Amino acid sequence: MDTSSHIIMGLGLAALAHIDPAVANSAALSQAVLFGTVIGSNAPDFDYIYRMKGKGSYIRNHRSTSHSLFALPLWSIAVSGIIYAFLPEASFLHLFLWTFLAVILHVFFDLFNVHGTQVLLPFSKKWIAFDSLPLVDPTILVVHLFGFSLLPFFAMGEVFLTIYLFIFLYLAVRTISTVLVKRNLHLHFQNSIRIKLIPRISLFHWDVIIETKEDFLFGVFTKGSLTIDHSLVKKITFPDLVSESKNHPLVSDFLSSTQYAYPFVLKRKNGYLVYWKDLRFRTNKFFPILTIIAVSADHKMNEGFIGTLYSLKQYKQVIKQLKNTAS
């Protein structure tokens, strides 16, 4: 989920907290819980501080340790402790519990989009993603806004208890449908190595990646049928160069953040450009999330780029900056 969604969910949880009599009957605790749920709903994303060390560091560390099981109570204690220092008349236990719920739900909902999290750290570095929700889900946002519109007329705790019951039902429908579609695709593509579904905003509508030994198939699954609109043959040119590129810090950071990176090499007059593209994110035949490394003719790794290129103009600007370094 994006930051705005986490903020809105934090506000919704602050309203839900009024089903707790201690919160409903104490203005100080209600205010403290409001701060706790809003900040707690965003706390795991405070790993944004890694941007100070560069994009590569942020990409490597985002949704990793900060979203792990061990981090959840630590975020909750830290956020609750700071708020309690300013509002000591509030009950710390109730403040902590509602803040803890906000932190848990942040990580929980992040598990259901295409990125997922490394929630099992330090026991496993595996990325867990259930592929059920788009990165920004308008349904969840609209339902929250509808709930806020009802607050002048109904008890806020009961309103948002109903809202969250609906959201979890909605999540269950999306998740079950994702599991069924993936199972159906595996039956039809029995030789596939893996199948990735990327949920769209529309319900029952997914972008699809099917990986086989020979290629990647890209398509759309909707209304019970699959349409393949692009394929990518697995053919790595300059394999030694690709292997060497993995030692570059930016490539290492990029590969740590995705299991769907694939390399491409472009030979130029004065060297090479090595691309690693995240196949999960595609606009027609363009993969905007990537890292590019400039390599000289004698295979010396030079400067690179890591991040998202939103337009062809940005892409050309980056290539122009890098091509002169590959010499």
Side-chain angles (χ1 to χ4, degrees), residues 194 208-218 228 230-235 259-264 279 287:
R194 55 183 175 171
V208 180
I209 304 174
I210 301 170
E211 181 182 1
T212 71
K213 292 182 179 179
E214 296 80 22
D215 55 15
F216 292 95
L217 303 176
F218 300 87
I228 300 295
H230 181 53
S231 63
L232 175 64
V233 177
K234 287 184 174 179
K235 184 180 179 181
Q259 298 171 313
Y260 286 85
Y262 197 74
F264 304 83
L279 302 183
F287 300 92

XYZ file of all heavy atoms in Angstrom, residues 194 208-218 228 230-235 259-264 279 287:
238
model
N 7.271 -21.054 -12.925
C 6.505 -20.283 -11.940
C 5.568 -19.345 -12.679
O 5.784 -18.988 -13.843
C 7.433 -19.512 -11.001
C 8.418 -18.599 -11.709
C 9.349 -17.911 -10.742
N 10.355 -17.131 -11.458
C 11.202 -16.294 -10.876
N 11.170 -16.133 -9.544
N 12.082 -15.624 -11.575
N -0.224 -11.083 -16.024
C 0.315 -12.415 -15.763
C 1.720 -12.546 -16.337
O 1.993 -12.060 -17.443
C -0.588 -13.504 -16.385
C -0.021 -14.897 -16.106
C -2.010 -13.398 -15.860
N 2.607 -13.187 -15.569
C 3.920 -13.597 -16.068
C 4.008 -15.109 -15.911
O 3.813 -15.633 -14.812
C 5.075 -12.953 -15.279
C 4.970 -11.433 -15.290
C 6.424 -13.387 -15.871
C 6.006 -10.760 -14.388
N 4.271 -15.786 -17.018
C 4.449 -17.236 -16.997
C 5.867 -17.534 -17.430
O 6.258 -17.232 -18.568
C 3.438 -17.936 -17.920
C 2.009 -17.599 -17.488
C 3.668 -19.451 -17.914
C 0.949 -18.041 -18.469
N 6.641 -18.114 -16.550
C 8.038 -18.433 -16.858
C 8.170 -19.915 -17.191
O 7.718 -20.783 -16.437
C 8.953 -18.091 -15.685
C 10.420 -18.384 -15.982
C 11.345 -18.095 -14.816
O 10.844 -17.676 -13.751
O 12.557 -18.290 -14.968
N 8.794 -20.194 -18.335
C 9.125 -21.562 -18.721
C 10.638 -21.676 -18.858
O 11.362 -20.698 -18.635
C 8.452 -21.944 -20.055
O 9.092 -21.234 -21.125
C 6.973 -21.601 -20.036
N 11.119 -22.831 -19.232
C 12.559 -23.008 -19.428
C 13.061 -22.174 -20.598
O 14.217 -21.759 -20.619
C 12.893 -24.480 -19.657
C 12.693 -25.370 -18.447
C 13.092 -26.806 -18.755
C 12.916 -27.696 -17.529
N 13.289 -29.109 -17.822
N 12.185 -21.922 -21.569
C 12.607 -21.245 -22.790
C 12.309 -19.746 -22.815
O 13.026 -18.982 -23.452
C 11.917 -21.874 -24.017
C 12.277 -23.325 -24.275
C 11.511 -24.288 -23.386
O 10.425 -23.886 -22.887
O 11.988 -25.414 -23.169
N 11.260 -19.317 -22.106
C 10.859 -17.931 -22.262
C 9.992 -17.444 -21.107
O 9.669 -18.194 -20.182
C 10.103 -17.738 -23.579
C 8.898 -18.672 -23.720
O 8.473 -19.259 -22.704
O 8.379 -18.809 -24.843
N 9.637 -16.157 -21.194
C 8.645 -15.540 -20.316
C 7.458 -15.145 -21.193
O 7.625 -14.543 -22.261
C 9.188 -14.285 -19.639
C 10.280 -14.527 -18.640
C 11.606 -14.414 -19.025
C 9.990 -14.848 -17.316
C 12.625 -14.626 -18.104
C 11.002 -15.060 -16.397
C 12.321 -14.953 -16.797
N 6.268 -15.479 -20.742
C 5.051 -15.076 -21.429
C 4.349 -14.013 -20.588
O 4.186 -14.176 -19.381
C 4.123 -16.272 -21.642
C 4.708 -17.459 -22.403
C 3.690 -18.604 -22.435
C 5.103 -17.058 -23.817
N 3.926 -12.935 -21.237
C 3.258 -11.843 -20.544
C 1.852 -11.695 -21.115
O 1.661 -11.695 -22.337
C 4.018 -10.530 -20.738
C 5.427 -10.555 -20.228
C 6.464 -10.997 -21.044
C 5.722 -10.150 -18.934
C 7.771 -11.027 -20.578
C 7.017 -10.178 -18.464
C 8.049 -10.624 -19.286
N -2.278 -13.680 -24.181
C -0.833 -13.445 -24.191
C -0.543 -12.335 -25.191
O -0.913 -12.435 -26.377
C -0.052 -14.718 -24.591
C -0.340 -15.848 -23.605
C 1.435 -14.430 -24.671
C 0.137 -15.591 -22.205
N 2.706 -10.593 -25.151
C 4.142 -10.356 -25.308
C 4.891 -11.578 -24.807
O 4.435 -12.269 -23.891
C 4.567 -9.111 -24.517
C 6.021 -8.772 -24.631
N 6.657 -8.615 -25.837
C 6.973 -8.568 -23.684
C 7.930 -8.315 -25.624
N 8.143 -8.286 -24.329
N 6.002 -11.881 -25.440
C 6.855 -12.976 -24.988
C 8.301 -12.532 -25.030
O 8.676 -11.645 -25.815
C 6.660 -14.225 -25.852
O 7.052 -13.972 -27.186
N 9.105 -13.137 -24.186
C 10.521 -12.795 -24.099
C 11.321 -14.087 -24.043
O 11.207 -14.867 -23.094
C 10.781 -11.954 -22.837
C 12.230 -11.594 -22.526
C 12.805 -10.707 -23.617
C 12.305 -10.875 -21.177
N 12.093 -14.335 -25.088
C 12.898 -15.546 -25.154
C 14.082 -15.427 -24.207
O 14.739 -14.388 -24.134
C 13.401 -15.795 -26.596
C 14.318 -17.025 -26.643
C 12.222 -15.984 -27.531
N 14.342 -16.479 -23.458
C 15.491 -16.490 -22.550
C 16.765 -16.695 -23.367
O 17.074 -17.801 -23.798
C 15.351 -17.616 -21.513
C 14.310 -17.364 -20.454
C 14.325 -18.502 -19.432
C 13.399 -18.243 -18.273
N 13.403 -19.352 -17.303
N 17.460 -15.620 -23.587
C 18.699 -15.686 -24.344
C 19.636 -14.612 -23.822
O 19.500 -13.436 -24.166
C 18.442 -15.490 -25.834
C 19.686 -15.652 -26.698
C 19.361 -15.457 -28.171
C 20.610 -15.605 -29.026
N 20.313 -15.382 -30.472
N 12.653 -11.133 -7.296
C 12.951 -12.471 -7.821
C 12.630 -12.553 -9.304
O 12.716 -13.627 -9.900
C 12.126 -13.514 -7.053
C 12.442 -13.571 -5.565
C 11.474 -14.445 -4.789
O 10.262 -14.346 -4.960
N 12.005 -15.314 -3.944
N 12.274 -11.422 -9.888
C 11.873 -11.401 -11.294
C 12.740 -10.449 -12.116
O 12.258 -9.807 -13.052
C 10.401 -11.033 -11.415
C 9.494 -12.164 -11.009
C 9.154 -12.362 -9.671
C 9.007 -13.068 -11.937
C 8.351 -13.420 -9.281
C 8.193 -14.132 -11.567
C 7.873 -14.298 -10.232
O 7.083 -15.353 -9.854
N 14.023 -10.359 -11.790
C 14.951 -9.548 -12.569
C 15.535 -10.388 -13.698
O 15.841 -11.568 -13.513
C 16.066 -9.017 -11.678
N 15.692 -9.774 -14.868
C 16.274 -10.488 -16.001
C 17.245 -9.552 -16.712
O 16.966 -8.359 -16.886
C 15.188 -10.960 -16.967
C 15.674 -12.033 -17.910
C 15.872 -13.337 -17.455
C 15.967 -11.731 -19.241
C 16.333 -14.320 -18.312
C 16.420 -12.714 -20.103
C 16.607 -14.008 -19.630
O 17.077 -14.982 -20.477
N 18.397 -10.098 -17.152
C 19.438 -9.238 -17.733
C 19.342 -9.097 -19.249
O 18.909 -10.011 -19.954
C 20.721 -9.983 -17.349
C 20.320 -11.430 -17.378
C 18.883 -11.469 -16.911
N 19.767 -7.950 -19.722
C 19.895 -7.662 -21.149
C 21.200 -6.899 -21.341
O 21.563 -6.071 -20.500
C 18.723 -6.803 -21.649
C 17.370 -7.391 -21.379
C 16.756 -7.216 -20.143
C 16.704 -8.104 -22.347
C 15.503 -7.750 -19.881
C 15.438 -8.642 -22.106
C 14.853 -8.465 -20.876
N 10.696 -7.716 -14.274
C 9.675 -8.130 -15.221
C 8.251 -8.010 -14.670
O 7.279 -8.142 -15.418
C 9.926 -9.580 -15.658
C 11.291 -9.859 -16.302
C 11.369 -11.309 -16.760
C 11.565 -8.913 -17.465
N 9.885 -1.973 -19.534
C 9.974 -2.328 -18.118
C 10.618 -1.150 -17.380
O 11.830 -0.951 -17.464
C 10.798 -3.602 -17.940
C 10.232 -4.798 -18.652
C 10.631 -5.113 -19.936
C 9.277 -5.593 -18.045
C 10.107 -6.205 -20.608
C 8.739 -6.695 -18.695
C 9.155 -6.999 -19.981
